[in-house]
Amino acid sequence: MRAVQFSEYGPAGVVHVTEVEEPHAGPGTVRIAVRASGLSAGETHIRSGKLRGVVPVTFPFRTGFDAAGVVDEVGDGVTGVGIGDEVFGMTAASTRGANADYAVLVAWAPKPATWSWEAAGGAAGSVETATRVLDRLAVGAGHTVLVQGAAGGVGTVAVQFAVARGAAVIGTASEHNHDFLRSLGAEPTTYGTGLVERVRALAPGGVDAVFDCAGGALPDLIAVAGDPARVVTIAPDLTAAPLGVHMSHGVQADDTAASVGAADPLALHGLGIAVELAGQGRLRVPVAAAFPLTEAAAAHELSESRHSRGKIVLVN
C-alpha cells in the first residue's frame, strides 16, 4: 500500500509517498480503508528537526496520527463495530502511520453523518488534544479561557469544546479570521504587541486559563493568566519549562485505549463527546485544505506557512 514518510530531517521536500506492507488489525484494534487523514503541525516540527532530542525518531518515520475511513478488519476482542462501518479515530502514538491507504486504529468512534470525510479525517487528533489540555487546565462553566492561535486545527476545536463546557472564550487570530471565531463562539482579538492590554479590556475580571496553540508569546500569556501554572502550550516552545509552563505532548492513545478497554473505544475521553456535540450541531471541524496523499509535501509547506484556517488533511 501507499504511505507517507520521511527518512531524514529537513524541509517539506523530504516527505514522500512510498510502498510499504499493509498493517493488519490485532487484538483490540480495527483496520480502516482510509478515506482522509490529518496532518499534524507537530509532525512538521518533528520532520524539520526542531524537536530533535525531545521526540525520539526512528527513520523512516511514518506520518499521520488521525484518520477516517471504512472498517475492513476487526481484531480479537473488539465489539460494537463491524466491517463496513464508517469511523474516525487515532492510531497508536508509537506507530502513527495514518497517512496511508490503510491504518490500524486503537481508538475510534462512529463518523458523524454531518461531517465530510475530510472533516472526520482530521478530527480525532484535535479532539484528543483539546480535551487533554482543557482537562489539565480544569476548564469548566463560568471560566474565561484565552486560546492563542484559535483559528488553527486544534484551536478551532478547543474553542468549541470550551464553549460546550460553559466557558467564555477569547481567541487570538488575524483580523480576517475574527468573524470566523465569532461563529465558533469566541470573542476575537489579534495577537502580538499589546495582547495583555487587549485581553484585560475584554476580560476585566481576569482569565482563568490560557491554551497556547501557537507558541512564541509565553511571557505575555503568563502575564494574562497571572500564573504560569494556568498556561499550557502545545507548541514546540523550548522556553516553556524554564518559564514554568507545561508543554503538552500527545497522549499514548494505545495506552489510554488499553486502560479503558479496547472493546469500548467510545470510553476514550473526547471522541464520544465529539460525536455527541456533532450530533447536536455544536461541533464542526473546519478544513483549511485537502491534498491528495501524493501531495503530502505541499501539505507540509502550507502547515508551516501558518496561514491556514482549520485542519489540513490528505485524501485517498
Side-chain angles (χ1 to χ4, degrees):
M1 70 167 189
R2 299 174 305 164
V4 178
Q5 64 182 38
F6 56 90
S7 299
E8 60 182 323
Y9 294 120
V14 303
V15 175
H16 60 279
V17 176
T18 189
E19 291 289 325
V20 301
E21 292 293 324
E22 292 182 11
H24 294 282
T29 67
V30 300
R31 188 180 85 162
I32 60 170
V34 177
R35 296 293 182 84
S37 58
L39 170 63
S40 164
E43 286 189 331
T44 68
H45 297 312
I46 293 172
R47 188 218 71 235
S48 71
K50 288 181 181 178
L51 297 181
R52 192 181 319 203
V54 178
V55 178
V57 170
T58 299
F59 294 123
F61 185 90
R62 292 272 306 278
T63 66
F65 181 59
D66 48 6
V70 179
V71 175
D72 73 344
E73 289 183 1
V74 177
D76 291 342
V78 174
T79 61
V81 66
I83 291 174
D85 287 353
E86 298 180 350
V87 300
F88 74 106
M90 296 178 287
T91 64
S94 56
T95 57
R96 300 180 182 260
N99 300 147
D101 288 324
Y102 296 94
V104 173
L105 304 183
V106 297
W108 61 89
K111 171 185 170 293
T114 55
W115 286 0
S116 66
W117 280 115
E118 291 81 0
S126 296
V127 165
E128 185 278 318
T129 302
T131 303
R132 166 167 37 92
V133 174
L134 292 174
D135 282 352
R136 183 179 181 89
L137 290 167
V139 171
H143 290 163
T144 298
V145 183
L146 172 65
V147 179
Q148 171 85 335
V154 174
T156 54
V157 173
V159 166
Q160 294 171 89
F161 265 52
V163 168
R165 292 180 179 213
V169 181
I170 299 170
T172 68
S174 300
E175 287 189 15
H176 71 274
N177 283 322
H178 283 191
D179 285 343
F180 168 68
L181 291 186
R182 290 188 185 96
S183 76
L184 299 181
E187 179 66 34
T189 190
T190 53
Y191 45 77
T193 304
L195 175 64
V196 176
E197 291 73 24
R198 289 192 298 276
V199 172
R200 285 174 178 166
L202 292 171
V207 167
D208 299 288
V210 176
F211 186 161
D212 175 30
C213 301
L218 287 182
D220 280 350
L221 300 183
I222 293 169
V224 166
D227 183 345
R230 290 158 59 186
V231 181
V232 173
T233 184
I234 61 170
D237 194 330
L238 300 183
T239 68
L243 291 171
V245 171
H246 178 69
M247 186 165 66
S248 185
H249 294 297
V251 70
Q252 290 290 335
D254 38 346
D255 295 339
T256 306
S259 70
V260 301
D264 184 19
L266 277 178
L268 183 66
H269 189 47
L271 297 186
I273 297 172
V275 172
E276 181 180 356
L277 291 176
Q280 298 168 356
R282 300 171 65 197
L283 178 63
R284 51 194 172 108
V285 182
V287 175
F291 291 82
L293 191 69
T294 52
E295 296 180 14
H300 274 243
E301 288 181 351
L302 177 60
S303 178
E304 289 178 310
S305 76
R306 303 183 71 175
H307 292 149
S308 57
R309 184 172 80 183
K311 187 79 173 187
I312 299 171
V313 298
L314 302 176
V315 294
N316 295 35

